[in-house]
Amino acid sequence: MPGVNPESFGGTPPRTDVRAGAVLRRTAVPAGVLAAVVAAFAYVGAVDPNEPGHYPACPLLRFTGVYCPGCGGLRSAHAFVHGDLLTALQDNGLAAVGYPLFALVWILWTVRAVRGRPSRIDLGPVHLWSLGALLLIFTVVRNLPFGGWLHP
């Protein structure tokens, strides 16, 4: 019977609206993070960091002459947005590898949110120390004479 409320006959209302609302609530944060990342990449893609005056200089590089792990990251993102993967790797190889890794983590996060599963990443001390060691090694090597190929 069209227009009849199923609750008036002792039935339960359809679950599709409730489930859709729950899925939208669970995916709101991943969607917001995606929107922020897309906006940041769109800005960096539109405003070329290779031209002076658009972005501040890295303070560590400016005051000490030492390349930090993030030096060249904006140029790498700009090249990545324009599809120049080789230049992105040359500007900051660690960042260029991190972009697809972030995309993979975001996809897993969103799929788990849609399914209603917890979306946490449990990194143990070994993982965190390994990540720190990778950043430290990358930073040291890119500042040594033989690591010139890692300069932005």
Side-chain angles (χ1 to χ4, degrees), residues 131-146:
L131 181 61
L134 175 69
L135 288 172
L136 181 64
I137 291 168
F138 177 73
T139 303
V140 169
V141 170
R142 78 187 318 204
N143 285 291
L144 292 174
F146 64 85

Side-chain angles (χ1 to χ4, degrees), residues 17-88:
D17 293 338
V18 174
R19 282 189 52 108
V23 169
L24 286 176
R25 278 191 302 278
R26 289 192 305 259
T27 57
V29 174
V33 168
L34 179 64
V37 169
V38 166
F41 269 84
Y43 182 79
V44 172
V47 180
D48 190 357
N50 294 305
E51 295 181 21
H54 293 292
Y55 299 98
C58 172
L60 185 66
L61 179 62
R62 184 174 180 197
F63 294 119
T64 66
V66 174
Y67 293 107
C68 75
C71 280
L74 287 174
R75 290 187 295 276
S76 175
H78 181 78
F80 190 83
V81 167
H82 290 279
D84 190 356
L85 300 181
L86 185 59
T87 301

Side-chain angles (χ1 to χ4, degrees), residues 3 5 7 14 19 34 55 65 68 90 93 97 103 108 129 143 147:
N5 185 355
E7 290 179 294
R19 282 189 52 108
L34 179 64
Y55 299 98
C68 75
Q90 289 173 344
V97 170
L108 293 173
W129 280 102
N143 285 291

